Amino acid sequence: MKNFFNHIELKFANLLSKISFMLLMVVGLLMVYFLFREVYNLVLLAFLSESEVHYYDILESILSFFIFFEFLTLIITSLRNKGHVSLIFLLSLGITSLIRLLLTYHERLVGVLLIASAILILIIGVFVLKKFVFPNDDTADYF
């Protein structure tokens, strides 16, 4: 009886793994669509007339493009490693996303300081992971 349940458990875990893989591929295709849509919008914005608002729209479009690109990279890394993504890669993704947010956020000094503090905490986290948790890990798949 125990053998039967182990067999069912293995089959069910295998099914869920395949469903997860397929859904990750669908999300990847959606990211490719949004990436190309952002490139299209960026090209359209590049040919509009000059204005200060136009500059911020172009900057926002460029930053959105790179965010979609990073998420696509995350999905590709996950698919290559059978669903596993390095924690350091995720932290570096958070750092770059917060840096992009910092580039566009200019409303309040407190908000800028909070974003900068979050970036510093994530950088410290990456340092601690590389120095103490994974000291012998020389793979560069997280950058």
Side-chain angles (χ1 to χ4, degrees):
M1 190 68 157
K2 185 177 180 181
N3 222 2
F4 174 74
F5 285 120
N6 285 340
H7 179 71
I8 296 293
E9 177 185 355
L10 184 64
K11 290 286 186 185
F12 189 67
N14 208 4
L15 175 70
L16 289 178
S17 177
K18 288 180 182 180
I19 290 172
S20 172
F21 185 79
M22 296 298 287
L23 290 175
L24 201 55
M25 286 180 16
V26 169
V27 170
L29 290 173
L30 283 172
M31 285 293 143
V32 168
Y33 167 75
F34 287 123
L35 187 72
F36 281 114
R37 191 178 80 175
E38 204 60 46
V39 168
Y40 176 74
N41 289 335
L42 185 61
V43 169
L44 288 179
L45 283 173
F47 293 112
L48 292 177
S49 63
E50 288 281 327
S51 72
E52 186 176 318
V53 176
H54 178 66
Y55 169 75
Y56 287 112
D57 289 340
I58 289 176
L59 182 62
E60 187 176 320
S61 182
I62 290 171
L63 295 178
S64 295
F65 168 80
F66 280 108
I67 288 172
F68 285 128
F69 187 75
E70 282 185 356
F71 279 118
L72 188 61
T73 305
L74 176 70
I75 290 170
I76 290 170
T77 303
S78 179
L79 289 174
R80 280 187 183 161
N81 296 325
K82 298 179 181 171
H84 300 285
V85 180
S86 171
L87 182 60
I88 296 174
F89 180 80
L90 292 173
L91 289 176
S92 65
L93 183 69
I95 291 168
T96 55
S97 295
L98 285 173
I99 289 172
R100 281 191 197 88
L101 178 64
L102 191 62
L103 288 173
T104 59
Y105 186 82
H106 303 291
E107 295 172 13
R108 293 185 178 180
L109 180 62
V110 175
V112 171
L113 289 174
L114 286 174
I115 294 169
S117 300
I119 292 170
L120 180 64
I121 290 169
L122 288 175
I123 289 173
I124 291 170
V126 168
F127 175 75
V128 167
L129 281 173
K130 288 181 101 174
K131 186 75 173 173
F132 300 111
V133 179
F134 305 116
N136 298 327
D137 189 16
D138 292 333
T139 59
D141 66 342
Y142 34 73
F143 290 115

